[in-house]
Amino acid sequence: MILMQKNIAVIRGDGIGPEIVEQALLAFDKIGELYGHTFTYTDVDMGGIAIDKWGDPLPTDMLEKCVNADSVLLGAVGGPKWNDVPGDKRPEKGLLRLRAGMGVYSNNRPAKIWPQLADASPLKASIVAKGIDFIIVRELIGGIYFGSHTTEEVNGEKNAVDVLQYSESEIERIGRIGFETARKRSGKLCSVEKSNVLDSSRLWKAVMHRLSAEYPDVELSDMLVDNCAMQIVKDPSQFDVVVTENMFGDILSDEASMITGSIGMIPSSSLGASSNGLYEPIHGSAPDIAGMDMANPIGTILSAAMMLRFSFDMPAEADCIERAVSAVLDAGYRTADIYSDGCKKIGCAEMGQRILENMRKE
Ligand code: NAD
């Protein structure tokens, strides 16, 4: 066995961020103990806490710590305290700058239902029974979120413009991630766009079809984004890998997370050309439950497992964490967000502790 040493930049962030990240770090320590690896942690301030301390949601030296780490673990940023700060100083701006600064152009979000939590899905049991297990590959550092944004006075009234722009090379690199991901799964890729209206979507579709000649083993299909939003609730079992642009992916991946039952359960990875990735749960800083030991840490702990699998090439170690999560759910332990009658309600720290106790090397 190769023993590895990895440095992780840790962004605890705001709200429930520090509580959930703490549990993920304990899981890394336990993996270190079981498998002989050494994990070291570099603390990074980002979001509201960085605004309070440094007057900037992501100071340059903090971004550098992330770029120089082996990977980055993020809790969540933002909260009502910073709602009124100017646009370029908002906590979320730190996140956009982090993604762009790390060059992570591909966001991968699994939408998977845990059989133990099937009742928590808002969909009918007959739909859930067909299975929900797909991934949304979302372009992360282009499109309308990164185009210019202007608000000007025109003819006596305010006029706002947001620019949506994609180059062929930007589409191609995310397209390749989609095809490669599909190749590792069932070989089905659904490209989602709005080519009946948008030029950027027509280019998107053309590039996907050009690439498809290089991946004859992957079956490519196209779907308009409005139809995709409907199909995700009508029959999510039809999807395996979905690839789409930034804003469509933002919206569809929230919809996909909702049908799996709890936003607190879902991890994500964002990767670019290097193995240094950004790993975070998909939810926000949940200010309504911050500091109350009520947060579900599983999305963050599973993000740690994704880091082991995708950035550190440690699949056995990732499996170890995922098995432990499944065992704790099997035993009926639930945080408040996934609680149902007959289960045992526990807090964030106890959930983390029970997962640690179930981590075993196979
Ligand atoms: P949110 O995801 O923080 O919370 C939505 C609801 O889900 C809340 O009721 C919350 O209590 C619950 N929830 C979320 N995560 C949970 C968990 N782990 N366990 C149990 N319950 C959980 O979304 P919001 O309320 O719209 O946003 C709050 C703040 O977070 C805002 O400032 C927003 O900008 C920010 N935000 C940050 C990120 C990020 O850091 N990546 C993402 C989304 C939102």
Side-chain angles (χ1 to χ4, degrees):
M1 186 173 68
I2 306 168
L3 304 185
M4 301 228 234
Q5 190 153 6
K6 296 286 180 192
N7 181 248
I8 301 167
V10 177
I11 306 173
R12 289 180 168 79
D14 310 311
I16 60 170
E19 301 164 55
I20 53 177
V21 165
E22 188 57 33
Q23 301 311 316
L25 297 186
L26 292 171
F28 276 120
D29 289 343
K30 179 83 182 191
I31 288 290
E33 233 173 78
L34 291 172
Y35 291 84
H37 307 305
T38 307
F39 298 105
T40 54
Y41 310 114
T42 302
D43 280 320
V44 170
D45 292 331
M46 186 179 93
I49 187 179
I51 296 171
D52 289 351
K53 271 167 93 172
W54 314 105
D56 183 337
L58 183 64
T60 313
D61 58 327
M62 295 291 166
L63 173 60
E64 271 168 21
K65 287 183 186 182
C66 296
V67 171
N68 294 330
D70 290 312
S71 256
V72 181
L73 180 71
L74 164 65
V77 295
K81 184 178 173 194
W82 303 280
N83 274 356
D84 296 326
V85 297
D88 64 329
K89 291 274 184 241
R90 286 184 64 84
E92 296 78 5
K93 206 70 188 175
L95 191 53
L96 293 185
R97 274 181 12 216
L98 178 66
R99 290 171 179 163
M102 290 180 68
V104 286
Y105 56 80
S106 165
N107 177 245
N108 309 293
R109 267 198 197 186
K112 178 181 158 185
I113 193 135
W114 292 77
Q116 301 95 326
L117 303 180
D119 284 351
S121 171
L123 297 185
K124 277 187 197 157
S126 59
I127 297 176
V128 176
K130 291 167 80 181
I132 304 175
D133 184 2
F134 63 102
I135 284 191
I136 296 185
V137 176
R138 163 189 168 196
E139 200 290 322
L140 201 57
I141 55 174
I144 199 161
Y145 294 175
F146 284 83
S148 64
H149 310 287
T150 48
T151 306
E152 283 171 357
E153 198 84 8
V154 178
N155 298 331
E157 60 177 347
K158 280 193 178 144
N159 201 36
V161 179
D162 300 290
V163 174
L164 165 49
Q165 181 180 339
Y166 270 108
S167 67
E168 279 185 283
S169 56
E170 281 176 307
I171 300 170
E172 182 171 331
R173 66 184 182 179
I174 189 71
R176 288 193 184 282
I177 303 268
F179 280 102
E180 298 288 345
T181 308
R183 195 169 248 179
K184 288 187 200 133
R185 292 175 53 107
S186 73
K188 273 170 53 184
L189 177 64
C190 180
S191 164
V192 171
E193 28 69 4
K194 186 76 183 162
S195 57
N196 54 342
V197 179
L198 301 174
D199 258 39
S200 57
S201 279
R202 282 190 273 275
L203 183 62
W204 179 280
K205 188 174 177 182
V207 172
M208 290 296 157
H209 280 266
R210 169 164 63 71
L211 282 180
S212 114
E214 292 179 43
Y215 298 88
D217 49 327
V218 175
E219 186 193 319
L220 174 69
S221 59
D222 306 296
M223 195 177 276
L224 296 175
V225 63
D226 38 356
N227 184 24
C228 184
M230 292 192 285
Q231 295 300 327
I232 284 177
V233 288
K234 185 167 170 252
D235 179 15
S237 72
Q238 70 187 283
F239 296 109
D240 189 52
V241 181
V242 169
V243 64
T244 191
E245 63 99 81
N246 202 346
M247 182 166 66
F248 298 160
D250 189 8
I251 297 166
L252 293 177
S253 57
D254 268 17
E255 185 191 8
S257 69
M258 198 55 227
I259 63 168
T260 65
S262 169
I263 192 170
M265 296 288 299
I266 304 178
S268 76
S269 71
S270 302
L271 285 156
S274 81
S275 63
N276 180 1
L278 172 63
Y279 295 83
E280 56 180 316
I282 62 154
H283 56 75
S285 60
D288 51 334
I289 56 166
M292 297 165 76
D293 192 35
M294 278 176 71
N296 185 347
I298 295 180
T300 318
I301 292 172
L302 292 173
S303 299
M306 280 185 104
M307 187 189 295
L308 295 170
R309 190 181 301 285
F310 296 113
S311 282
F312 298 166
D313 199 18
M314 298 180 186
E317 290 82 337
D319 287 347
C320 170
I321 292 182
E322 288 167 0
R323 270 197 314 271
V325 169
S326 194
V328 172
L329 295 177
D330 278 343
Y333 292 104
R334 304 280 189 272
T335 43
D337 57 311
I338 51 173
Y339 177 78
S340 56
D341 286 347
C343 295
K344 294 159 231 166
K345 196 184 281 183
I346 57 175
C348 178
E350 185 175 346
M351 178 57 87
Q353 196 54 40
R354 294 206 174 267
I355 291 169
L356 287 189
E357 285 164 8
N358 279 278
M359 282 169 63
R360 283 178 204 99
K361 195 170 165 182
E362 272 195 352

